[in-house]
Amino acid sequence: MSGFVELSKDNYIPKKPWYKKTLGILFLIFSFTITALTLAFLILLGYYLWNVKFGDPTELTEKFNNHFSFSTDIPLEARPEIEEDVSQFIRSFNPTLNNTNAPITIIAFIDFECPFSQESYPILKQVVSKYDSAINVVFKHFPLTSIHPNAVQAGLASTCAQDQGMFWEYYDLLFINKKLDYESLVKNAEDLNLNISIFQNCLTKQVHRANIEQDLKDGVSLGVRGTPTYIVNQTKLEGTTNLSSWDSIIVSELQK
């Protein structure tokens, strides 16, 4: 006897395939999960890019911005610079305030129902008063309809007031009175002595809705994620920005 026992075919126990072992099963689950998430991300990205070029901008903001209306204050050095020339997004129908040849242009993406646009309103008024002819403000609509159901109607009302040369006065009343129901929108027009028949016809027929939708598309193209968003020349400011931060960025822009 050699002391060696040979294992016969009858009592041979085969090894389990790797994919049936615990670690193998976990690896497969992990791999399938990563693959599914990657595929979902690519589909979502493709859908987003298609909407930017061809889709309904209102639907796009509902899907991607429905949780984004915020207040923040980021240091000047951390604020992103936009490489694309933003002047191409200033449309002939966009209301402007002050000198269009000013050294500093502030493009303001605003939602009239956004609490942080409301919070930022008096601050921007101070900035405009302080720097006067050195800055020009360009207004663009960015209503987040999924969380602010009255924002589009308020925006449309402001465009109807704009037809009668009273956009900025109407803009002030929207933020001062803070009432965006139809009756209040008409009351604002009455307080400004607008032609009410023309105003109501414009508002009811949503005459300038295409302009608001174009502003939304422009905002998406510029990476606007919520309101308020300001683009100061090529620098993006997101959320409520205090006066000292405005001073810093405006002085910085004037020194360029």
Side-chain angles (χ1 to χ4, degrees), residues 16 19 39 42 53 78 83 108 157-158 162 169 179 187 192 197 200 215 235 250:
K16 285 185 179 181
Y19 55 83
L39 181 61
L42 292 175
K53 190 170 184 179
E83 295 182 2
S158 72
Q162 182 182 352
E169 293 82 357
K179 294 181 180 179
K187 178 65 165 56
L192 293 174
S197 176
Q200 288 181 305
D215 281 349
T235 301
I250 289 176

Side-chain angles (χ1 to χ4, degrees), residues 1-217:
M1 298 278 303
S2 64
F4 177 79
V5 178
E6 183 179 356
L7 187 64
S8 70
K9 291 182 179 180
D10 293 334
N11 57 14
Y12 174 72
I13 302 175
K15 291 183 177 181
K16 285 185 179 181
W18 69 270
Y19 55 83
K20 289 187 177 181
K21 295 181 179 180
T22 301
L23 289 177
I25 293 171
L26 291 175
F27 174 76
L28 288 175
I29 293 173
F30 177 77
S31 299
F32 286 140
T33 301
I34 293 299
T35 302
L37 289 174
T38 301
L39 181 61
F41 171 77
L42 292 175
I43 291 172
L44 184 63
L45 178 62
Y47 175 78
Y48 177 84
L49 294 175
W50 184 90
N51 268 281
V52 168
K53 190 170 184 179
F54 303 109
D56 178 356
T58 302
E59 179 185 357
L60 189 65
T61 56
E62 288 179 1
K63 288 183 178 295
F64 292 92
N65 294 312
N66 60 341
H67 298 300
F68 194 87
S69 180
F70 65 104
S71 176
T72 185
D73 194 42
I74 303 172
L76 176 60
E77 60 275 10
R79 299 186 187 276
E81 290 283 330
I82 298 175
E83 295 182 2
E84 195 170 6
D85 180 12
V86 301
S87 64
Q88 64 182 301
F89 297 100
I90 300 175
R91 311 291 177 179
S92 59
F93 55 78
N94 290 143
T96 59
L97 182 66
N98 288 353
N99 178 18
T100 57
N101 295 317
I104 295 177
T105 295
I106 300 172
I107 302 178
F109 286 89
I110 300 296
D111 176 327
F112 284 116
E113 198 172 359
C114 168
F116 302 113
S117 292
Q118 173 73 50
E119 183 180 340
S120 299
Y121 163 74
I123 300 173
L124 184 60
K125 293 282 284 186
Q126 292 180 65
V127 172
V128 170
S129 176
K130 183 174 184 177
Y131 292 97
D132 194 23
S133 60
I135 62 173
N136 180 45
V137 179
V138 178
F139 183 95
K140 292 183 80 70
H141 299 272
F142 205 78
L144 304 180
T145 55
S146 62
I147 53 176
H148 300 144
N150 297 313
V152 169
Q153 181 172 248
L156 289 168
S158 72
T159 65
C160 295
Q162 182 182 352
D163 281 348
Q164 299 188 45
M166 300 289 279
F167 172 82
W168 292 105
E169 293 82 357
Y170 198 90
Y171 157 95
D172 285 336
L173 289 182
L174 288 174
F175 282 122
I176 292 170
N177 294 334
K178 306 176 187 178
K179 294 181 180 179
L180 305 182
D181 58 278
Y182 181 83
E183 291 74 17
S184 296
L185 296 177
V186 174
K187 178 65 165 56
N188 289 342
E190 291 173 345
D191 290 345
L192 293 174
N193 296 317
L194 302 184
N195 184 310
I196 298 303
S197 176
I198 293 175
F199 177 87
Q200 288 181 305
N201 181 66
C202 172
L203 181 56
T204 302
K205 292 184 177 180
Q206 301 190 1
V207 172
H208 300 296
R209 188 178 182 95
N211 293 348
I212 292 178
E213 292 182 347
Q214 183 61 61
D215 281 349
L216 281 165
K217 286 183 178 180

